[in-house]
Amino acid sequence: MLKLTKMTKEAFENYMSFAIEAYANEKVNNGTWNKNNSLSNSKDTYNKILPNGMLTPNNYFYSINNDEIIIGYIWIAKSTDNEDTAFIYDFEIYNEFQNQGFGKTTIDLIGVEAKKLGFKNLALHVFGNNLRAIHVYKKAGFQTTDLNMRKEL
């Protein structure tokens, strides 16, 4: 059975060990940052958003468990744009567990959790080339609110 559990300190440290680099790579792959300073940009971003690590107020970290096996993670926080909105900062179902419906179910579970925390909305950002995630989010009821576009010259 799929469930969310509050991330342990050990799980958070494991998450941070790959999250900064993964974010830097995503920004490079999508043309937002150049490779030369992407890692330092990513570290700066994480330090700004999480000055106290997992103890930073209004940030909530969960491990996604399927029958006691951690199959991914999800991080939500109070939106900086709207205090009624929980923003999904990061979400991943590990590769070997994808295409089994866990993404949609996790979105449903985090919606319940966000509501318990007092939020009225759930928002997120998704990179334009992540068609799999876009499909899951649309299936879960998300609608496009902003759209940035870019053209290489």
Side-chain angles (χ1 to χ4, degrees):
M1 183 170 124
L2 200 68
K3 66 180 180 177
L4 302 179
T5 58
K6 288 186 179 179
M7 197 178 276
T8 64
K9 184 179 180 195
E10 179 183 15
F12 178 78
E13 289 170 0
N14 181 52
Y15 163 70
M16 290 301 289
S17 73
F18 62 81
I20 292 171
E21 186 173 346
Y23 183 63
N25 289 337
E26 286 286 343
K27 294 293 259 185
V28 169
N29 292 339
N30 283 279
T32 309
W33 292 344
N34 67 48
K35 186 144 181 75
N36 295 340
N37 59 2
S38 63
L39 195 54
S40 65
N41 285 350
S42 186
K43 286 177 185 176
D44 289 346
T45 299
Y46 271 80
N47 287 334
K48 180 181 173 192
I49 296 170
L50 295 172
N52 299 316
M54 73 182 294
L55 300 178
T56 302
N58 300 314
N59 285 267
Y60 310 91
F61 297 88
Y62 300 91
S63 293
I64 304 164
N65 300 280
N66 185 42
D67 298 328
E68 308 307 316
I69 298 170
I70 296 176
I71 65 164
Y73 57 84
I74 191 163
W75 162 25
I76 64 171
K78 182 195 273 188
S79 171
T80 57
D81 296 327
N82 181 338
E83 66 183 28
D84 290 337
T85 299
F87 189 86
I88 299 173
Y89 270 92
D90 204 0
F91 170 38
E92 181 175 359
I93 302 294
Y94 300 138
N95 286 339
E96 61 267 31
F97 301 104
Q98 290 185 3
N99 298 318
Q100 298 178 46
F102 295 134
K104 165 79 168 67
T105 303
T106 299
I107 293 295
D108 293 342
L109 290 173
I110 202 64
V112 170
E113 196 65 30
K115 200 168 188 176
K116 285 182 194 175
L117 292 166
F119 295 108
K120 296 178 183 168
N121 307 293
L122 195 56
L124 56 86
H125 167 272
V126 61
F127 288 107
N129 69 345
N130 194 342
L131 300 178
R132 176 183 285 180
I134 291 168
H135 172 76
V136 170
Y137 298 139
K138 284 184 177 182
K139 192 173 175 182
F142 284 84
Q143 298 175 7
T144 302
T145 58
D146 297 286
L147 186 64
N148 294 326
M149 299 178 81
R150 169 179 160 293
K151 176 182 175 183
E152 287 190 34
L153 302 176

